[in-house]
Amino acid sequence: MNFSATRPLLVSLALLSFFTVPANAQSPTKDYRDWSVTCSNLKTCTAVSISGLNEMDLSKPPRGVSDKTETGWLWVEIEAGPNAKPKILYSGEYLADQPTAKDGTLRILGQNGRALANGTFVLTSHESGASQVQSADIARFISVARAAQSVVYFPGTSRAVQSFASLSGFVAALRAIEAQQGRTGTTGAWIDGGKQARDRIPPAPTTPRVSAMAFAKITSRTTAPKLVMDRRKAECDDSDRLDYGGQGIESFNLGKGRILWAVPCGAGAYNMWSKFYLQTHSNRLEPYPFSSPDAATDEQDAHSLVNVSVEPETGQISAFSKGRGVGDCGSAQTYVWDGTEFVLTSWIEMTACSGLTPDFWPVRVKKDVIPPPAKAKR
C-alpha cells in the first residue's frame, strides 16, 4: 500500500505539542539520518528506521535494491541495565497491522549494494505480528550492520526481495542509546565498547507507581453555567459549528468542591480536541494543564487534549492524536486522577509517518497504575 509521504509534521501534529508541565527530565526524540531514537523515563530506548516511502526524501532505494521494491521498517528496542539485550523486529509491510509472512530472511547489503559475509538472518514470528531476529543472532546482526547501508527482506521461502529498510544512521542511533543508558566504554556496548566491566552500567530506574482514584460524571446538568460558556466563546472559535449550544460539554465531580469541565473546542479531518477547565468556586474557572514529556510550545492550548476518552470509574483520561488519517504517527497518552491531580502515566509517540501503527510506537513515559478500590456491592 502506498501513501503520499510527507514529513512536515502536519497541521494536526502541531496540536500535539501543547502541554505545559514537563513530566520527566528526558531527551526528546531525535533523528539520525534514516533512524529515529526515543528513550523513556525507564531508560528503555527504541530506534526505528524512518525512511518509508520517500519519508526522508530518498530519490531512490539504496544500491542493490530495485526501484520497485517496497519499503519495510526495522525496529530495535533496548532496555536499560547491564544484562539487557536488544530486541530487533522487522515488518515487510508498510503498515504493521497488515497481513504478512511472519518469517522469512533478512540480508544485509554493504555500501556497494552487495550482500555482506555473515549477513543473512532467518527470522521467526513475533507476537506483535512482525518478524524478529533471533536472540542468538543479535550480536552478529549489529556487528555486520555497522558497515552496511540497508537490509532486504525475503518473505517465507521466496528468493525474491519484497522490501527493504535503510541502515543509514543505524550506528549513530545505537551510539546515542548507549550514551543514554551509560553503556559507552563498557563490555555491554555494541558500538562504543570498552574495557570497563558490564556491571558499571546503571540499572534500570524503578517504575513509578500511581494510585488511581475514581471520580464521578455529573449527569443532572441541562446547561453549562455562564462562566463555562463565556470561556468557550472566547477560546473556541469553531465551537458553535462543532457543538451547537454546548450540548457536548461534560462535567466531572473530582471531590472537595472541584468540578472538571471538558469543552469540545475544535476539529480537523480526523482529530477533535477539547479544552479542560477546573472549577473550584461558583465564579472561579481556571484552565487545567496536563503534563507532557516536553515543554509547551503554545500556552494557549496547554489545557487541550485530542480525541479524548474519560473513564471516571477507573480515574483515567486518555487521548490519541493522529498525525494523519492512516494513523501511523502521532501520540497517545493516559492520565490518572490521584485525588490531587491528573498524573501522566503513559505516553507513546511516533513523530515520523513511516508506517508504524500505535502498537509499535516508542514509549516515552511509563508508570504502573494501581486501580481504584472496587466498590462494595449493595
Side-chain angles (χ1 to χ4, degrees), residues 148-169:
Q149 67 153 359
S150 64
V151 297
V152 291
Y153 172 65
F154 303 82
T157 58
S158 173
R159 295 185 178 182
V161 173
Q162 181 210 50
S163 58
F164 80 97
S166 172
L167 288 173
S168 177

Side-chain angles (χ1 to χ4, degrees), residues 42-78:
L42 303 182
K43 296 296 183 181
T44 295
C45 297
T46 305
V48 184
S49 62
I50 54 173
S51 55
L53 298 177
N54 292 329
E55 185 70 28
M56 297 295 288
D57 297 324
L58 297 176
S59 58
K60 60 181 180 179
R63 294 183 66 179
V65 178
S66 167
D67 289 343
K68 298 181 180 179
T69 305
E70 294 291 330
T71 306
W73 52 262
L74 198 60
W75 182 98
V76 181
E77 181 184 81
I78 307 176

